[in-house]
Amino acid sequence: MIRVLLIHDTYLLRMALAALLGREPDLEVSSTSWRGAATAARTTRPDVCVADMDSPDAGECVNLRPGDGRQGDGRCPEGGGERAAARPVLLALTTAGRPGPLRRAYEAGALGYLSKNASPDRLVEGIRHVAKGERYIDETLGFGFLQAAEIPLTRRELSVLSLAAEGASVGEIARSLHLSNGTVRNYMAAITRKTGARNRVDAIRISRGAGWV
C-alpha cells in the first residue's frame, strides 16, 4: 500500500482528486492545504506527496536537505519521528506555461514532475514510479524546464515574489516565511534589481508576464 498525501489549496479540486486516487486499490490517500501540510505529514506519514506547486506557500513548505541549503532531496514536508530517515518523496503538479513553480519544484528536489493537464492515469503512474524511487518527468514540461533554468531569482526570492504578487504586505510576507521585515525588503530589492524593474509593482508585472509567479 502506498500512502499518498495530496497537497492543494483549492478544496473542491483537492477533494475530487483525492476521491479519484482513492479508487486505486494500492493507494491510501489523505489531503490537505499547503498551510496544513507539515501537520498532515506528521499525522499521516505518507510515502509520496502529490503537491500543487502553483501555491505561493509551496516553496517554503517543501524541505531542503537538512543543514546545507542546497538543492533538496525529493522529499516533501517532514513528518518527523521514527520516519524522519524515510521522508516522503515529492511528485510536483505544475503548469507548462509557469516556469516559476517548476523552478521551485526543481530546487525542492522533486522526484517527479507532472503537468496539470495530464490524465488521471498518468498521475497514478507517476505516484507508483516515485514511490519506487524512480524519477518521473512529464515530457510536455520540457520547454518549461528550459525556461525555468533561465530564471534569475532564487527559490526564496520566488517565494517572496509569489506572496507579494498575491497582495501580501512586507509584514505578512515576513510572518508567512518566518523572516524579519528588513530581510523581506532586502529580498524585494534584489528581486527588483535582478528583474530590471523600476519598483515592486513593476517586478510583479514582469514576473507575471514571464510566468515566474
Side-chain angles (χ1 to χ4, degrees), residues 77-109:
E78 185 174 348
E82 61 188 17
R83 272 184 59 87
R87 289 177 294 154
V89 294
L90 174 64
L91 174 60
L93 301 180
T94 66
T95 304
R98 298 193 63 195
L102 187 59
R103 171 70 172 268
R104 291 202 301 271
Y106 174 77
E107 292 199 1

Side-chain angles (χ1 to χ4, degrees), residues 140-165:
T140 66
L141 298 175
F143 184 63
F145 273 107
L146 294 177
Q147 292 177 305
E150 297 176 353
I151 296 176
L153 306 180
T154 66
R155 179 186 64 91
R156 179 55 66 88
E157 288 166 349
L158 283 169
S159 295
V160 169
L161 184 60
S162 295
L163 289 169

